[in-house]
Amino acid sequence: MVTQNTEKIPHSVWYGWGDPARAKPLGAGGLEYLRTTLGLDSVEAVHPPVDFDDVRVGPVALGDEVLGELRGICGAPHVSTERAERILHAGGKSTPDLLRIRAGDAAQAPDAVLFPGSAEQVREVLEFCVRRRLAVVAFGGGTSVVGGVEPERGPFSGVIAVDLRRMDGLLHLDALSHTATFEAGIRGPAIEAALEPLGFTLGHFPQSHQQATLGGYVATRSAGQASTGYGRADDLVKSVHLETPAGPMDVGSPAPGSAAGPRLLDVVVGSEGTLGVITSATVRIHPLPAARSHGAWSFESFAAGAEALRRLRHEGVRGDMPHVCRLSDTDQTAATFRLGGPKTAAMARYLGLRGHKTPALALFLWEGPKRETAARRRRSARILRAAGGIRLGPLPARAWERGRFSGPYLRDELLTRGVYVETLETAASWTRLDATYTAVRGAILNALEARGGTGYVQAHISHVYPDGASLYFTFLGGLEPDGQAQNARVKKAASEAIVAAGATITHHHAVGTDHSPYLEAEIGALGIEVLRGIKATLDPSGIMNPGKLIPAPANATPSNATATKEQP
Ligand SMILES: Cc1cc2nc3c(=O)[nH]c(=O)nc-3n(C[C@H](O)[C@H](O)[C@H](O)COP(=O)(O)OP(=O)(O)OC[C@H]3O[C@@H](n4cnc5c(N)ncnc54)[C@H](O)[C@@H]3O)c2cc1C
């Protein structure tokens, strides 16, 4: 079976997120919250992006002969040197990416953007780029928030973005084995649109779901909002077809389990475009749930809530864990209650009377067969109550679900209003979770306030494992005149606190350029050498995504973009 996705999904606007027509502007309550919480007297919309016509792009460094050969491989309509395409492929969607593009700087835009239509075309493109010494950036949805799609030339004469957009078909579905094979450029909504009529779901819903692609999920080991139940991208993927400069490679096994040596699939999953281009992937799929049950609980503190989640994971039946399992810290909970309208305000008053003066709100979503889902929720309730939880009914979890993809739009408006806003994430064992939360939160707050401004940090747990949980921080402050320096200062402080706490430098955003300097602290010098060895085998000339994931050796000449970054 081969189906082509025909759904029209808006590609992201050049200065921010998604389709601006879908953005809901901040209401009076939100603006007031910014004023009182952040002390920002002036949150007027006075920092709009520059006009599109004023965005600066460098000259195309590829001659007619090179472009002609690329057109011969992909077809003339699928090789673009148009200014608009180059700008759209000039970076990802982190706050520093947005600050740069909003200021009109797309100087690092790729020389050309290619839209190959098959694995064979990708193979020919890579062979050509090796011969002509051109760097290649595999581009999925371009939603990286760690510099993963920055077009770095490194020592090469040009850089090309290979956008997988045209490769978005469902190639095969095995309904008996619950697996499906897709081309790698298919986006989140199109995956679900292809599976739903056949009675299945992938169950992978990162906040970037509307823009991100399957190839991007696999290349970054992403985690969706329901990953506690369905598993993260690395759990969902079974096998991958990769085109490398050294040739094509299939990794993973059609068998359900295998002991045939080390799992080479794990080398490709998380490789962030540094080894080759993933052109298709086979993933585990799940029957569409017959029932979905929402729940919300309050705990008297973030630490008490985290302990309740640990007990749920350890004392409950394995299958009882909610698919979505989120716990907000007390600051995030206060914002949710304050901005949620009269019903949540009443909830906060009720909790105050029950002794939860500064509560931590947990949201759950159980999915599955009808009777089983209700039974899971009931069994979970016994554990959560015994852990000190107060049950709040389904409303807060339903409200979260309705708005769960709207956060990125808010960031665009906040930047326009002169508010610096960014997120980062980590994960730690249960033993280290609270200390990591305290250390990272403190480091971010200190760095935000280092120049005399005010800062605000909130956090939540969004993924629960047997041995620990993730921590996701969202932070705001007044945007300083040099927003890039402000961001580098905060990010450095947070990253150093994460490393010192013994947590991971990234739970799901991946490494890219931003986390590369901290990778050695996590995997060791020999681990870095192993990665370099694998890259030397699959990409001997080093054309694949220079400057990402694997730190350059100490004596190497810095590539164009990393040279300007603040290093630890
Ligand atoms: C608003 C927002 C919310 C987000 N929420 C989440 C979240 O909830 N969970 C989460 O895990 N992440 C999240 N992210 C991060 C990001 O969306 C994920 O990393 C996602 O998996 C990237 O997919 P993409 O298709 O956009 O990849 P891209 O951004 O295009 O690429 C990311 C990296 O993967 C490589 N790559 C992409 N496609 C291929 C391919 N076919 N072959 C080889 N390499 C490839 C690129 O070269 C790059 O290094 C969020 C980002 C934003 C902006």
Side-chain angles (χ1 to χ4, degrees):
M1 177 198 317
V2 178
T3 62
Q4 281 298 322
N5 157 45
T6 49
E7 191 193 351
K8 275 267 163 269
I9 300 155
H11 295 296
S12 207
V13 69
W14 62 275
Y15 60 81
W17 187 249
D19 174 7
R22 293 189 189 182
K24 271 203 209 132
L26 261 177
L31 288 173
E32 179 52 30
Y33 196 72
L34 284 179
R35 289 194 184 100
T36 49
T37 310
L38 275 184
L40 290 171
D41 296 329
S42 154
V43 282
E44 307 306 325
V46 293
H47 303 271
V50 299
D51 280 344
F52 186 65
D53 288 346
D54 294 332
V55 178
R56 300 176 302 281
V57 190
V60 174
L62 308 178
D64 288 345
E65 189 204 331
V66 166
L67 289 170
E69 291 208 38
L70 290 171
R71 289 188 185 112
I73 297 170
C74 294
H78 308 306
V79 175
S80 177
T81 52
E82 294 284 323
R83 188 171 165 277
E85 284 299 356
R86 293 179 63 214
I87 291 172
L88 278 167
H89 292 82
K93 298 292 178 192
S94 68
T95 292
D97 289 331
L98 299 191
L99 288 173
R100 194 181 312 117
I101 199 80
R102 289 168 67 97
D105 178 3
Q108 83 278 32
D111 295 298
V113 184
L114 268 51
F115 302 94
S118 66
E120 291 70 26
Q121 286 185 4
V122 172
R123 191 177 310 158
E124 281 187 57
V125 167
L126 297 188
E127 283 166 4
F128 177 78
C129 289
V130 169
R131 278 200 308 278
R132 302 305 289 249
R133 293 200 46 81
L134 299 172
V136 174
V137 179
F139 198 99
T143 65
S144 170
V145 284
V146 292
V149 290
E150 262 179 41
E152 295 195 19
R153 276 175 179 70
F156 302 101
S157 52
V159 57
I160 283 170
V162 173
D163 185 318
L164 279 288
R165 177 180 308 183
R166 286 175 65 222
M167 296 175 62
D168 64 351
L170 168 60
L171 301 176
H172 178 72
L173 187 133
D174 181 342
L176 211 58
S177 312
H178 291 190
T179 61
T181 305
F182 292 97
E183 288 182 296
I186 189 166
R187 288 174 194 246
I191 296 173
E192 293 302 320
L195 292 179
E196 197 183 304
L198 304 170
F200 290 99
T201 175
L202 179 61
H204 195 66
F205 301 100
Q207 197 188 35
S208 53
H209 161 80
Q210 284 150 321
Q211 302 285 330
T213 63
L214 180 62
Y217 294 161
V218 174
T220 62
R221 300 173 69 182
S222 67
Q225 290 164 341
S227 291
T228 297
Y230 289 111
R232 30 188 304 149
D234 21 353
D235 303 318
L236 292 170
V237 65
K238 264 188 69 63
S239 61
V240 155
H241 181 82
L242 182 79
E243 291 293 338
T244 81
M249 189 163 92
D250 287 290
V251 288
S253 169
S258 166
R263 255 170 62 107
L264 285 179
L265 178 63
D266 286 343
V267 168
V268 175
V269 175
S271 58
E272 302 187 28
T274 60
L275 304 179
V277 179
I278 297 164
T279 56
S280 63
T282 300
V283 286
R284 294 184 177 85
I285 54 175
H286 310 272
L288 279 172
R292 308 175 79 238
S293 182
H294 299 77
W297 287 73
S298 165
F299 296 90
E300 68 172 353
S301 66
F302 188 51
E307 171 60 6
L309 297 189
R310 186 197 66 74
R311 286 180 60 177
L312 191 60
R313 188 64 186 77
H314 286 169
E315 295 171 18
V317 180
R318 166 72 183 98
D320 283 355
M321 274 313 278
H323 285 69
V324 175
C325 186
R326 298 169 74 85
L327 172 73
S328 295
D329 72 356
T330 56
D331 287 307
Q332 191 168 71
T333 303
T336 304
F337 283 158
R338 174 116 176 244
L339 300 173
K343 283 190 183 154
T344 53
M347 226 172 248
R349 282 195 298 279
Y350 162 75
L351 288 172
L353 294 174
R354 299 270 316 261
H356 287 191
K357 303 278 184 222
T358 51
L361 178 66
L363 305 177
F364 303 116
L365 174 56
W366 289 267
E367 296 188 349
K370 202 165 181 187
R371 256 206 219 144
E372 224 179 88
T373 304
R376 285 176 191 162
R377 201 191 55 217
R378 270 197 308 278
R379 283 195 295 266
S380 301
R382 282 200 285 277
I383 297 173
L384 295 170
R385 194 170 290 115
I390 298 176
R391 190 184 196 149
L392 293 173
L395 192 117
R398 289 206 181 120
W400 166 81
E401 196 180 26
R402 271 196 305 278
R404 65 176 169 161
F405 297 126
S406 55
Y409 290 107
L410 187 57
R411 177 171 57 162
D412 292 341
E413 181 177 353
L414 288 171
L415 289 175
T416 297
R417 290 181 178 278
V419 178
Y420 164 74
V421 53
E422 183 55 308
T423 62
L424 58 85
E425 35 71 67
T426 180
S429 65
W430 291 118
T431 315
R432 293 180 182 197
L433 194 72
D434 196 43
T436 304
Y437 165 72
T438 306
V440 177
R441 184 181 181 283
I444 296 172
L445 204 54
N446 284 343
L448 282 171
E449 295 177 345
R451 299 282 185 275
T454 52
Y456 171 74
V457 186
Q458 61 178 32
H460 66 260
I461 288 173
S462 54
H463 306 273
V464 172
Y465 300 89
D467 49 346
S470 66
L471 287 168
Y472 187 93
F473 296 87
T474 304
F475 38 96
L476 295 86
L479 187 59
E480 295 172 7
D482 188 345
Q484 296 291 354
Q486 177 181 18
N487 185 72
R489 183 178 80 231
V490 177
K491 183 78 186 173
K492 180 173 188 286
S495 300
E496 286 174 356
I498 286 170
V499 171
T504 177
I505 194 63
T506 175
H507 169 259
H508 59 264
H509 280 169
V511 177
T513 52
D514 295 9
H515 295 142
S516 178
Y518 304 94
L519 190 61
E520 186 174 329
E522 190 151 334
I523 68 170
L526 195 53
I528 299 286
E529 282 311 312
V530 171
L531 289 184
R532 287 194 185 125
I534 294 168
K535 184 164 170 77
T537 302
L538 296 179
D539 177 25
S541 47
I543 61 165
M544 296 307 307
N545 216 2
K548 318 295 157 45
L549 177 64
I550 307 169
N555 55 359
T557 317
S559 54
N560 53 358
T562 42
T564 60
K565 290 215 162 164
E566 193 167 340
Q567 299 291 316

